[in-house]
Amino acid sequence: MLARQIRGAPLAYLDNAATGLTPQAVIDEMARYYREVTANVARGVHTASQEATTRFEAVREQTAAFLNSSVDEVVFTPGTTAGINLVAQSYGRSVLRPGDEILVSEMEHHSNLVPWQLIAEGTGARVRGIPITGAGDLDLAWLERHLTDRTKVVAVCHVSNVLGTVVPIAQVSRLAHAMGAVCVVDGAQAAPHLTVDVRALGCDFYVLSVHKLFGPTGLGVLWGRRALLERMPPWMGGGGMIAKVEIERSTFLPAPARFEAGTPPIAEVFGLGAVIDYLRGWDRSAAERHERELVHYATERLEAIPGVVIHGRSRTKVGLVTFTVDGVHPHDVGTALDAGGVAVRAGHHCAQPLMARLGVPATVRASFAPYNTRDEVDALIAGVERARQVFGQ
Protein backbone atom coordinates (compact mmCIF):
# COMPACT_ATOMS: atom_id res chain seq x y z
CA MET A 1 0.00 0.00 0.00
CA LEU A 2 2.71 2.47 0.98
CA ALA A 3 4.48 1.82 -2.33
CA ARG A 4 1.50 3.10 -4.33
CA GLN A 5 1.51 6.21 -6.46
CA ILE A 6 -1.67 8.29 -6.31
CA ARG A 7 -2.18 10.66 -9.24
CA GLY A 8 1.54 10.46 -9.96
CA ALA A 9 2.67 11.22 -6.40
CA PRO A 10 3.85 8.88 -3.63
CA LEU A 11 0.97 7.99 -1.33
CA ALA A 12 1.04 9.80 2.01
CA TYR A 13 -1.51 7.82 4.01
CA LEU A 14 -2.68 10.15 6.78
CA ASP A 15 -6.10 8.58 7.35
CA ASN A 16 -5.11 6.09 10.03
CA ALA A 17 -7.93 7.14 12.37
CA ALA A 18 -10.35 5.78 9.76
CA THR A 19 -8.44 2.53 9.36
CA GLY A 20 -4.87 1.39 9.83
CA LEU A 21 -2.79 -0.33 7.18
CA THR A 22 -2.50 -4.09 7.45
CA PRO A 23 0.95 -5.66 7.84
CA GLN A 24 1.89 -8.64 5.67
CA ALA A 25 2.00 -10.97 8.69
CA VAL A 26 -1.73 -10.39 9.26
CA ILE A 27 -2.59 -10.97 5.61
CA ASP A 28 -0.53 -14.17 5.65
CA GLU A 29 -2.22 -15.49 8.78
CA MET A 30 -5.70 -14.87 7.39
CA ALA A 31 -4.70 -16.54 4.12
CA ARG A 32 -3.35 -19.48 6.14
CA TYR A 33 -6.77 -19.96 7.71
CA TYR A 34 -8.46 -20.14 4.31
CA ARG A 35 -5.66 -22.17 2.73
CA GLU A 36 -4.98 -24.71 5.49
CA VAL A 37 -7.55 -24.62 8.27
CA THR A 38 -10.92 -23.58 6.85
CA ALA A 39 -13.56 -24.91 9.22
CA ASN A 40 -16.13 -23.58 11.63
CA VAL A 41 -15.29 -23.27 15.32
CA ALA A 42 -16.86 -24.93 18.37
CA ARG A 43 -19.02 -27.12 16.18
CA GLY A 44 -17.06 -29.97 14.63
CA VAL A 45 -15.26 -33.06 15.87
CA HIS A 46 -13.08 -33.29 12.79
CA THR A 47 -9.43 -32.22 12.87
CA ALA A 48 -9.71 -28.94 10.96
CA SER A 49 -12.54 -27.72 13.19
CA GLN A 50 -10.58 -28.64 16.30
CA GLU A 51 -7.52 -26.80 14.98
CA ALA A 52 -9.57 -23.72 14.14
CA THR A 53 -11.21 -23.76 17.57
CA THR A 54 -7.89 -24.13 19.36
CA ARG A 55 -6.38 -21.17 17.49
CA PHE A 56 -9.56 -19.09 17.92
CA GLU A 57 -9.50 -19.52 21.70
CA ALA A 58 -5.74 -19.00 21.82
CA VAL A 59 -6.30 -15.58 20.25
CA ARG A 60 -8.83 -14.82 22.96
CA GLU A 61 -6.08 -15.56 25.49
CA GLN A 62 -3.67 -13.31 23.56
CA THR A 63 -6.28 -10.54 23.57
CA ALA A 64 -6.84 -10.90 27.31
CA ALA A 65 -3.10 -10.54 27.90
CA PHE A 66 -3.01 -7.54 25.53
CA LEU A 67 -5.66 -5.80 27.65
CA ASN A 68 -4.42 -7.16 31.02
CA SER A 69 -7.72 -8.96 31.63
CA SER A 70 -9.10 -12.42 32.21
CA VAL A 71 -9.86 -14.54 29.16
CA ASP A 72 -13.55 -14.94 30.02
CA GLU A 73 -13.96 -11.17 29.95
CA VAL A 74 -13.12 -10.92 26.22
CA VAL A 75 -16.03 -10.93 23.75
CA PHE A 76 -15.45 -10.83 20.01
CA THR A 77 -17.84 -8.50 18.20
CA PRO A 78 -18.12 -7.11 14.65
CA GLY A 79 -16.56 -3.82 15.80
CA THR A 80 -16.69 -0.93 18.26
CA THR A 81 -20.20 0.06 17.20
CA ALA A 82 -21.49 -3.46 17.77
CA GLY A 83 -19.72 -3.65 21.13
CA ILE A 84 -21.31 -0.46 22.42
CA ASN A 85 -24.72 -1.52 21.12
CA LEU A 86 -24.28 -4.82 22.94
CA VAL A 87 -23.58 -3.04 26.22
CA ALA A 88 -26.47 -0.62 25.71
CA GLN A 89 -28.99 -3.27 24.70
CA SER A 90 -27.95 -5.88 27.27
CA TYR A 91 -26.60 -4.03 30.31
CA GLY A 92 -28.44 -0.77 29.65
CA ARG A 93 -31.83 -2.34 29.03
CA SER A 94 -31.59 -4.43 32.19
CA VAL A 95 -30.69 -1.58 34.57
CA LEU A 96 -32.08 1.67 33.15
CA ARG A 97 -35.39 3.02 34.42
CA PRO A 98 -37.39 6.19 33.69
CA GLY A 99 -35.55 9.23 35.03
CA ASP A 100 -32.12 7.59 35.00
CA GLU A 101 -29.30 9.42 33.25
CA ILE A 102 -26.64 8.40 30.76
CA LEU A 103 -23.75 10.88 30.53
CA VAL A 104 -21.78 11.10 27.29
CA SER A 105 -19.25 13.73 26.24
CA GLU A 106 -19.71 16.34 23.54
CA MET A 107 -16.83 14.84 21.61
CA GLU A 108 -18.28 11.35 21.24
CA HIS A 109 -18.30 9.58 17.94
CA HIS A 110 -21.88 8.72 16.92
CA SER A 111 -21.15 5.09 17.82
CA ASN A 112 -20.92 6.06 21.47
CA LEU A 113 -23.95 8.33 21.36
CA VAL A 114 -26.71 6.93 19.14
CA PRO A 115 -26.86 3.49 20.89
CA TRP A 116 -27.46 5.34 24.18
CA GLN A 117 -30.16 7.49 22.60
CA LEU A 118 -31.92 4.36 21.35
CA ILE A 119 -31.83 2.63 24.72
CA ALA A 120 -32.91 5.84 26.47
CA GLU A 121 -35.97 6.07 24.24
CA GLY A 122 -36.87 2.49 25.10
CA THR A 123 -36.38 2.76 28.86
CA GLY A 124 -37.36 6.33 29.71
CA ALA A 125 -33.81 7.27 30.62
CA ARG A 126 -32.18 10.54 29.56
CA VAL A 127 -28.94 11.22 27.66
CA ARG A 128 -26.96 14.25 28.83
CA GLY A 129 -23.82 15.74 27.31
CA ILE A 130 -20.64 16.35 29.29
CA PRO A 131 -19.14 19.60 27.95
CA ILE A 132 -15.57 20.02 26.82
CA THR A 133 -13.26 22.91 27.60
CA GLY A 134 -11.97 25.40 25.05
CA ALA A 135 -8.82 23.31 24.68
CA GLY A 136 -10.88 20.22 23.94
CA ASP A 137 -10.51 18.42 27.27
CA LEU A 138 -13.37 16.74 29.08
CA ASP A 139 -14.82 19.15 31.66
CA LEU A 140 -14.19 17.03 34.73
CA ALA A 141 -15.47 19.71 37.10
CA TRP A 142 -18.83 19.68 35.30
CA LEU A 143 -18.90 15.90 35.43
CA GLU A 144 -18.23 15.85 39.15
CA ARG A 145 -20.98 18.40 39.79
CA HIS A 146 -23.58 16.61 37.69
CA LEU A 147 -23.07 13.00 38.71
CA THR A 148 -26.03 12.00 40.88
CA ASP A 149 -27.70 8.84 42.08
CA ARG A 150 -29.75 9.00 38.87
CA THR A 151 -26.59 8.53 36.80
CA LYS A 152 -26.30 4.90 35.76
CA VAL A 153 -23.86 5.07 32.84
CA VAL A 154 -20.93 7.34 31.96
CA ALA A 155 -19.88 6.62 28.36
CA VAL A 156 -16.77 8.37 27.05
CA CYS A 157 -14.07 7.92 24.45
CA HIS A 158 -10.52 7.18 25.56
CA VAL A 159 -9.19 9.29 22.66
CA SER A 160 -11.33 11.69 20.61
CA ASN A 161 -11.47 10.76 16.92
CA VAL A 162 -11.59 14.47 16.03
CA LEU A 163 -9.51 16.30 18.63
CA GLY A 164 -7.07 13.57 19.63
CA THR A 165 -7.76 14.39 23.28
CA VAL A 166 -6.83 11.64 25.74
CA VAL A 167 -9.57 11.37 28.36
CA PRO A 168 -8.35 10.51 31.91
CA ILE A 169 -10.35 7.29 32.11
CA ALA A 170 -9.12 6.25 35.56
CA GLN A 171 -10.37 9.53 37.00
CA VAL A 172 -13.68 9.32 35.15
CA SER A 173 -14.14 5.74 36.36
CA ARG A 174 -13.54 6.74 39.98
CA LEU A 175 -16.07 9.56 39.73
CA ALA A 176 -18.66 7.28 38.08
CA HIS A 177 -18.18 4.50 40.62
CA ALA A 178 -18.51 6.92 43.54
CA MET A 179 -22.11 7.49 42.41
CA GLY A 180 -22.79 3.83 41.60
CA ALA A 181 -22.58 4.28 37.81
CA VAL A 182 -20.60 2.19 35.34
CA CYS A 183 -17.97 3.62 33.00
CA VAL A 184 -18.15 2.52 29.35
CA VAL A 185 -15.11 3.41 27.22
CA ASP A 186 -14.91 3.71 23.44
CA GLY A 187 -11.27 2.78 22.89
CA ALA A 188 -11.35 2.67 19.08
CA GLN A 189 -8.93 5.58 18.70
CA ALA A 190 -6.80 4.80 21.74
CA ALA A 191 -5.70 1.23 21.13
CA PRO A 192 -3.48 2.10 18.11
CA HIS A 193 -1.60 4.75 20.09
CA LEU A 194 -1.64 3.82 23.78
CA THR A 195 -1.04 0.72 25.86
CA VAL A 196 -4.47 -0.35 27.13
CA ASP A 197 -4.57 -1.81 30.64
CA VAL A 198 -8.21 -2.19 31.61
CA ARG A 199 -7.34 -2.97 35.23
CA ALA A 200 -5.36 0.25 35.58
CA LEU A 201 -8.08 2.25 33.81
CA GLY A 202 -10.64 0.96 36.28
CA CYS A 203 -13.50 1.09 33.77
CA ASP A 204 -16.30 -1.46 33.45
CA PHE A 205 -16.50 -1.92 29.67
CA TYR A 206 -13.89 -1.17 26.99
CA VAL A 207 -14.47 -1.62 23.26
CA LEU A 208 -12.16 -1.36 20.26
CA SER A 209 -12.07 -2.07 16.53
CA VAL A 210 -9.35 -4.36 15.23
CA HIS A 211 -9.00 -2.66 11.85
CA LYS A 212 -7.88 0.57 13.52
CA LEU A 213 -5.24 -1.54 15.27
CA PHE A 214 -3.75 -2.56 11.88
CA GLY A 215 -5.82 -5.74 11.73
CA PRO A 216 -8.72 -6.92 9.57
CA THR A 217 -12.08 -5.20 9.23
CA GLY A 218 -15.28 -6.71 10.63
CA LEU A 219 -13.88 -7.59 14.06
CA GLY A 220 -13.96 -5.81 17.39
CA VAL A 221 -13.29 -6.60 21.02
CA LEU A 222 -15.58 -5.91 23.95
CA TRP A 223 -13.95 -6.25 27.34
CA GLY A 224 -16.38 -6.34 30.23
CA ARG A 225 -15.91 -6.77 33.94
CA ARG A 226 -16.74 -10.40 34.68
CA ALA A 227 -19.28 -9.67 37.42
CA LEU A 228 -21.25 -7.49 34.98
CA LEU A 229 -21.02 -9.88 32.02
CA GLU A 230 -22.24 -12.75 34.19
CA ARG A 231 -25.53 -11.05 34.95
CA MET A 232 -26.14 -9.52 31.51
CA PRO A 233 -28.74 -11.24 29.30
CA PRO A 234 -27.92 -12.15 25.69
CA TRP A 235 -28.64 -9.50 23.12
CA MET A 236 -28.68 -11.70 20.02
CA GLY A 237 -29.75 -15.33 19.90
CA GLY A 238 -28.67 -18.21 17.71
CA GLY A 239 -26.19 -21.02 17.42
CA GLY A 240 -23.07 -21.18 19.53
CA MET A 241 -24.44 -19.35 22.57
CA ILE A 242 -26.94 -21.81 24.02
CA ALA A 243 -26.74 -24.50 26.69
CA LYS A 244 -30.14 -26.08 25.93
CA VAL A 245 -32.96 -25.20 23.56
CA GLU A 246 -36.58 -26.25 23.82
CA ILE A 247 -39.46 -25.00 21.73
CA GLU A 248 -40.69 -22.55 24.33
CA ARG A 249 -37.46 -21.50 26.04
CA SER A 250 -33.69 -21.73 26.01
CA THR A 251 -30.85 -21.51 28.50
CA PHE A 252 -27.57 -19.87 27.62
CA LEU A 253 -23.85 -20.47 27.96
CA PRO A 254 -21.81 -18.23 30.27
CA ALA A 255 -20.00 -15.18 28.89
CA PRO A 256 -18.30 -14.68 26.54
CA ALA A 257 -20.06 -17.38 24.46
CA ARG A 258 -23.55 -16.07 25.27
CA PHE A 259 -22.69 -12.86 23.41
CA GLU A 260 -21.22 -14.52 20.31
CA ALA A 261 -24.25 -15.97 18.51
CA GLY A 262 -23.69 -17.41 15.05
CA THR A 263 -20.52 -18.18 13.16
CA PRO A 264 -17.87 -15.66 14.24
CA PRO A 265 -15.36 -13.92 11.92
CA ILE A 266 -12.83 -16.74 12.22
CA ALA A 267 -10.20 -15.61 9.71
CA GLU A 268 -10.34 -12.12 11.23
CA VAL A 269 -9.71 -13.54 14.70
CA PHE A 270 -6.68 -15.35 13.29
CA GLY A 271 -5.62 -11.96 11.93
CA LEU A 272 -6.06 -10.37 15.36
CA GLY A 273 -3.68 -12.94 16.80
CA ALA A 274 -1.11 -11.97 14.17
CA VAL A 275 -1.62 -8.26 14.93
CA ILE A 276 -0.98 -8.79 18.62
CA ASP A 277 2.20 -10.72 17.80
CA TYR A 278 3.17 -7.91 15.42
CA LEU A 279 2.61 -5.20 18.03
CA ARG A 280 4.56 -7.18 20.59
CA GLY A 281 7.59 -6.67 18.37
CA TRP A 282 7.23 -2.90 18.53
CA ASP A 283 8.76 -0.52 20.99
CA ARG A 284 5.40 1.07 21.72
CA SER A 285 6.92 3.89 23.77
CA ALA A 286 9.13 4.81 20.82
CA ALA A 287 6.15 4.58 18.44
CA GLU A 288 4.14 6.89 20.69
CA ARG A 289 7.01 9.41 20.84
CA HIS A 290 7.34 9.33 17.04
CA GLU A 291 3.63 9.98 16.58
CA ARG A 292 3.67 12.84 19.10
CA GLU A 293 6.60 14.38 17.21
CA LEU A 294 4.62 14.14 13.95
CA VAL A 295 1.59 15.76 15.60
CA HIS A 296 3.79 18.56 16.96
CA TYR A 297 5.55 19.05 13.60
CA ALA A 298 2.29 19.07 11.62
CA THR A 299 0.71 21.51 14.08
CA GLU A 300 3.68 23.85 13.89
CA ARG A 301 3.72 23.81 10.06
CA LEU A 302 -0.06 24.24 9.73
CA GLU A 303 -0.11 27.15 12.19
CA ALA A 304 2.33 28.98 9.94
CA ILE A 305 -0.18 28.97 7.06
CA PRO A 306 -2.49 32.01 7.10
CA GLY A 307 -6.14 31.10 7.59
CA VAL A 308 -5.55 27.65 9.06
CA VAL A 309 -7.34 26.99 12.35
CA ILE A 310 -6.31 24.00 14.50
CA HIS A 311 -9.16 22.39 16.46
CA GLY A 312 -8.20 20.65 19.70
CA ARG A 313 -5.41 21.98 21.88
CA SER A 314 -5.35 19.43 24.66
CA ARG A 315 -1.89 18.90 26.11
CA THR A 316 -2.61 15.18 26.12
CA LYS A 317 -3.64 14.80 22.46
CA VAL A 318 -2.26 11.94 20.41
CA GLY A 319 -2.27 10.71 16.85
CA LEU A 320 -3.90 13.42 14.79
CA VAL A 321 -4.32 17.05 13.83
CA THR A 322 -7.72 18.46 12.86
CA PHE A 323 -8.02 21.79 11.11
CA THR A 324 -10.02 24.08 8.85
CA VAL A 325 -8.87 26.60 6.26
CA ASP A 326 -10.70 29.93 6.19
CA GLY A 327 -12.84 30.25 3.07
CA VAL A 328 -12.15 26.74 1.79
CA HIS A 329 -14.56 23.88 2.45
CA PRO A 330 -12.87 20.86 4.05
CA HIS A 331 -14.01 18.65 1.16
CA ASP A 332 -12.17 20.95 -1.25
CA VAL A 333 -9.07 20.77 0.93
CA GLY A 334 -9.35 16.97 0.93
CA THR A 335 -9.71 16.88 -2.85
CA ALA A 336 -6.70 19.15 -3.32
CA LEU A 337 -4.65 16.94 -0.99
CA ASP A 338 -5.66 13.82 -2.88
CA ALA A 339 -4.39 15.42 -6.08
CA GLY A 340 -0.96 15.38 -4.45
CA GLY A 341 -1.24 11.82 -3.14
CA VAL A 342 -2.15 12.81 0.44
CA ALA A 343 -5.01 10.79 1.97
CA VAL A 344 -6.87 12.53 4.82
CA ARG A 345 -10.43 12.51 6.16
CA ALA A 346 -12.66 15.51 5.46
CA GLY A 347 -16.16 15.77 6.92
CA HIS A 348 -17.95 15.74 10.25
CA HIS A 349 -16.19 12.52 11.29
CA CYS A 350 -19.45 11.03 12.60
CA ALA A 351 -19.27 13.58 15.42
CA GLN A 352 -21.91 16.15 14.54
CA PRO A 353 -22.50 17.41 18.12
CA LEU A 354 -18.78 18.19 18.32
CA MET A 355 -18.91 20.03 14.99
CA ALA A 356 -21.75 22.13 16.43
CA ARG A 357 -19.66 22.80 19.54
CA LEU A 358 -16.71 23.89 17.36
CA GLY A 359 -18.99 26.02 15.16
CA VAL A 360 -17.97 24.38 11.90
CA PRO A 361 -19.80 22.01 9.51
CA ALA A 362 -16.74 19.85 8.97
CA THR A 363 -12.97 19.69 9.38
CA VAL A 364 -9.92 18.12 7.78
CA ARG A 365 -8.21 15.42 9.83
CA ALA A 366 -4.67 14.16 9.30
CA SER A 367 -4.06 11.10 11.46
CA PHE A 368 -0.76 9.33 11.98
CA ALA A 369 0.72 5.90 12.56
CA PRO A 370 4.29 4.83 13.32
CA TYR A 371 5.01 4.25 9.61
CA ASN A 372 4.34 7.92 8.74
CA THR A 373 7.19 10.36 8.16
CA ARG A 374 8.04 14.06 8.24
CA ASP A 375 8.19 14.01 4.44
CA GLU A 376 4.52 13.01 4.41
CA VAL A 377 3.71 15.92 6.72
CA ASP A 378 5.56 18.16 4.27
CA ALA A 379 3.35 16.78 1.48
CA LEU A 380 0.31 17.61 3.62
CA ILE A 381 1.51 21.19 4.08
CA ALA A 382 2.18 21.61 0.35
CA GLY A 383 -1.32 20.33 -0.39
CA VAL A 384 -2.97 22.75 2.03
CA GLU A 385 -1.07 25.65 0.50
CA ARG A 386 -2.12 24.44 -2.96
CA ALA A 387 -5.76 24.35 -1.81
CA ARG A 388 -5.52 27.99 -0.67
CA GLN A 389 -4.12 28.97 -4.05
CA VAL A 390 -6.67 27.00 -6.07
CA PHE A 391 -9.61 28.35 -4.12
CA GLY A 392 -8.34 31.94 -4.19
CA GLN A 393 -7.28 32.50 -0.57
Side-chain angles (χ1 to χ4, degrees):
M1 181 75 176
L2 291 174
R4 286 193 62 180
Q5 296 271 315
I6 300 293
R7 303 180 190 279
L11 170 65
Y13 186 79
L14 305 181
D15 196 19
N16 295 283
T19 195
L21 301 182
T22 311
Q24 188 62 48
V26 174
I27 298 169
D28 290 345
E29 180 64 3
M30 293 177 69
R32 188 180 75 81
Y33 166 74
Y34 286 115
R35 192 174 55 240
E36 301 176 12
V37 193
T38 300
N40 214 327
V41 294
R43 285 162 172 78
V45 296
H46 58 84
T47 298
S49 179
Q50 295 294 315
E51 289 176 354
T53 303
T54 297
R55 178 58 180 154
F56 188 91
E57 293 304 326
V59 174
R60 197 188 305 275
E61 293 177 6
Q62 283 181 271
T63 307
F66 183 73
L67 298 174
N68 189 27
S69 77
S70 299
V71 68
D72 55 358
E73 296 176 317
V74 173
V75 181
F76 293 129
T77 71
T80 294
T81 301
I84 294 172
N85 273 276
L86 191 162
V87 175
Q89 293 295 331
S90 178
Y91 179 82
R93 187 173 295 281
S94 61
V95 303
L96 292 171
R97 300 289 180 269
D100 287 342
E101 293 185 345
I102 304 160
L103 301 187
V104 300
S105 83
E106 285 183 326
M107 58 184 157
E108 293 310 310
H109 186 269
H110 295 167
S111 293
N112 199 24
L113 173 56
V114 178
W116 299 113
Q117 293 173 342
L118 293 173
I119 200 65
E121 288 174 6
T123 59
R126 175 191 183 197
V127 177
R128 299 188 69 187
I130 309 168
I132 59 173
T133 67
D137 290 308
L138 191 72
D139 189 338
L140 290 167
W142 186 99
L143 175 62
E144 192 164 6
R145 287 197 307 273
H146 290 81
L147 277 166
T148 71
D149 58 4
R150 295 191 307 273
T151 309
K152 295 297 184 287
V153 176
V154 178
V156 293
C157 57
H158 193 176
V159 170
S160 164
N161 73 315
V162 176
L163 306 177
T165 303
V166 179
V167 174
I169 297 299
Q171 190 172 356
V172 172
S173 296
R174 282 195 297 274
L175 291 172
H177 292 165
M179 296 306 297
V182 298
C183 180
V184 181
V185 181
D186 174 352
Q189 296 296 334
H193 305 291
L194 306 174
T195 298
V196 177
D197 181 334
V198 293
R199 300 295 182 211
L201 292 172
C203 56
D204 300 285
F205 299 97
Y206 194 100
V207 298
L208 61 88
S209 291
V210 174
H211 71 98
K212 295 182 191 293
L213 196 59
F214 316 110
T217 58
L219 177 64
V221 175
L222 161 64
W223 171 84
R225 199 176 291 281
R226 184 192 294 124
L228 297 175
L229 292 177
E230 283 175 348
R231 64 174 190 255
M232 285 164 52
W235 173 41
M236 293 174 59
M241 47 78 76
I242 48 84
K244 184 178 181 181
V245 176
E246 300 168 280
I247 289 296
E248 295 184 347
R249 66 182 302 276
S250 299
T251 54
F252 307 106
L253 292 171
R258 72 167 56 188
F259 302 113
E260 296 179 351
T263 295
I266 304 167
E268 287 75 9
V269 169
F270 274 48
L272 171 58
V275 163
I276 293 173
D277 286 338
Y278 174 76
L279 292 174
R280 193 175 293 135
W282 280 12
D283 180 339
R284 297 208 72 182
S285 296
E288 186 180 339
R289 283 197 304 276
H290 175 66
E291 288 179 357
R292 288 186 185 276
E293 287 170 3
L294 290 177
V295 169
H296 177 74
Y297 180 59
T299 301
E300 196 174 64
R301 294 290 313 273
L302 285 166
E303 283 179 326
I305 301 175
V308 169
V309 178
I310 305 288
H311 300 280
R313 296 284 188 173
S314 173
R315 296 176 63 183
T316 66
K317 71 185 293 183
V318 295
L320 60 87
V321 179
T322 295
F323 61 95
T324 48
V325 182
D326 287 349
V328 186
H329 193 281
H331 285 177
D332 292 329
V333 176
T335 300
L337 288 168
D338 181 61
V342 181
V344 296
R345 174 82 177 267
H348 56 59
H349 312 292
C350 296
Q352 290 182 328
L354 178 57
M355 294 298 110
R357 169 67 174 79
L358 298 175
V360 295
T363 69
V364 181
R365 179 185 69 191
S367 52
F368 305 105
Y371 41 72
N372 289 127
T373 66
R374 279 193 165 217
D375 287 345
E376 291 171 338
V377 174
D378 291 339
L380 168 74
I381 301 304
V384 173
E385 289 176 335
R386 187 167 53 249
R388 292 183 69 249
Q389 293 167 4
V390 169
F391 294 96
Q393 298 299 310

